[in-house]
Amino acid sequence: MTQFLQTLFDGITVGCLYALIALGYTMVYGILKFINFAHSDVFALGAWMSITIAGWIGLGLTGQPTPPWYMGVLVLLGAMGVCGVVGFVIERVAYRPLRNAPRINVLITAIGVSLFMQNFGQLRFAFGAYPRPFPRLIDNTALFAVAGVAVRLPDLAVIGTALALMAALQFLIYRTKFGTAMRAVSFSPRNASLMGVNVDLVISFTFVVGAMLAAAAGFLYGVKYEGQAKQTADAMWVMLGLKAFVAAVVGGIGNVRGAVLGGLLIGLIEFFGVAYLSSQYRDAYVFAILILVLLLKPEGVLGRATVEKV
């Protein structure tokens, strides 16, 4: 029973990280109908900016006590702000000039942006080509235990922050005027423009929000796992981004609630597969679910089937 509950808790915690990244994929797809393959690199950028900003303000140095919680919030906001600006620049410089170009052009550009960010991050004046340790921004103590499962402060910080950000996004999209404009553009940019919606502003804002959520996931990844952050071109970041993309597809790409559900499902499937089947096929479980969903329900769990005229 303890192993089951521990696996459930770990799956939900990591599923929240996948959901935050998946939201960026699904928001961009919902608006522009293309996959932003550079999104996993924004996630890596968020993790590295967290390390950099913590270093700038002298946090996480060897022998230094764990800083107060609000310093972690400061680092989180700083990383989200930087990644939000990067998301805006990517959309403005790389994708907007291709707004009316064939999809394949945008897809190739997305891969180019991803490779650029991976290699730029390795430059000496950026983050460098060597791993760096995540600073300890939150005390790794067990607050309490439930049926033998220790609930630690970093895990609660991951779940709480992810839920708060997802709730804020839900409010933004379904309870605000700007969210109405985002939904209008997702249905028809042309009709939204005729109704007075500033389509360019909505698309830029979508990229900024998606990048900020990916940055938050990068920060929370460092809080949970600490250890060493691998260089920006390491396959680890790509794999985590791919799993989040799978989460978006499983939940129904283009559907915000589907991305959250997909993230949690992928986290649970991955951890239960490792705990009860074999740890050697951790990644295979995720992609096996993707194949099953594409075969049985290609629009995703919460997605809606669409008819395309040929």
Side-chain angles (χ1 to χ4, degrees):
M1 187 62 181
T2 300
Q3 183 187 4
F4 176 83
L5 291 176
Q6 182 69 62
T7 306
L8 180 66
F9 184 66
D10 291 340
I12 291 174
T13 306
V14 175
C16 287
L17 294 179
Y18 289 150
L20 281 179
I21 308 171
L23 283 168
Y25 282 113
T26 210
M27 287 173 64
V28 170
Y29 184 85
I31 296 285
L32 292 177
K33 300 294 183 291
F34 86 93
I35 307 300
N36 179 19
F37 282 107
H39 194 59
S40 61
D41 302 292
V42 179
F43 164 60
L45 176 65
W48 274 95
M49 282 309 306
S50 300
I51 297 172
T52 304
I53 293 172
W56 286 343
I57 55 181
L59 300 178
L61 301 177
T62 303
Q64 194 180 57
T66 305
W69 64 270
Y70 54 82
M71 298 304 290
V73 175
L74 184 65
V75 173
L76 170 64
L77 294 177
M80 291 175 70
V82 172
C83 288
V85 172
V86 171
F88 174 81
V89 172
I90 289 174
E91 191 278 329
R92 185 66 184 83
V93 174
Y95 296 143
R96 188 178 297 185
L98 301 174
R99 188 73 55 78
N100 298 315
R103 296 276 175 80
I104 187 67
N105 294 16
V106 185
L107 180 65
I108 293 171
T109 301
I111 295 172
V113 172
S114 173
L115 292 174
F116 172 79
M117 293 184 68
Q118 290 178 16
N119 289 282
F120 184 84
Q122 294 184 84
L123 296 177
R124 186 175 297 175
F125 62 85
F127 304 125
Y130 299 101
R132 285 172 59 187
F134 282 108
R136 173 164 290 183
L137 300 176
I138 296 178
D139 199 11
N140 189 23
T141 55
L143 297 178
F144 54 89
V146 178
V149 177
V151 179
R152 299 185 179 279
L153 186 57
D155 293 325
L156 284 186
V158 169
I159 295 174
T161 306
L163 290 179
L165 290 173
M166 288 186 279
L169 180 65
Q170 180 81 4
F171 180 81
L172 170 70
I173 293 177
Y174 295 101
R175 292 287 186 272
T176 67
K177 193 172 180 180
F178 203 87
T180 304
M182 292 173 71
R183 285 184 284 142
V185 173
S186 72
F187 280 108
S188 172
R190 183 173 179 274
N191 289 345
S193 177
L194 291 173
M195 296 298 292
V197 174
N198 188 335
V199 175
D200 288 339
L201 177 64
V202 169
I203 292 174
S204 294
F205 185 76
T206 302
F207 270 84
V208 169
V209 172
M212 292 175 75
L213 292 175
F219 169 84
L220 295 173
Y221 180 85
V223 166
K224 176 168 176 55
Y225 289 107
E226 296 183 342
Q228 297 280 328
K230 296 183 178 179
Q231 44 104 339
T232 51
D234 192 273
M236 178 198 81
W237 303 111
V238 177
M239 181 55 68
L240 289 169
L242 281 175
K243 289 180 181 177
F245 173 65
V246 171
V249 174
V250 168
I253 194 159
N255 186 310
V256 172
R257 293 165 184 165
V260 176
L261 177 63
L264 294 175
L265 285 175
I266 291 301
L268 290 171
I269 289 166
E270 180 182 349
F271 274 79
F272 273 99
V274 169
Y276 290 97
L277 297 175
S278 170
S279 61
Q280 295 181 343
Y281 304 108
R282 172 186 289 268
D283 300 332
Y285 304 134
V286 175
F287 295 107
I289 293 301
L290 173 64
I291 293 171
L292 280 177
V293 168
L294 290 178
L295 289 174
L296 302 176
K297 201 173 189 318
E299 67 274 17
V301 177
L302 297 184
R304 288 185 301 178
T306 57
V307 178
E308 292 188 4
K309 295 181 180 179
V310 179

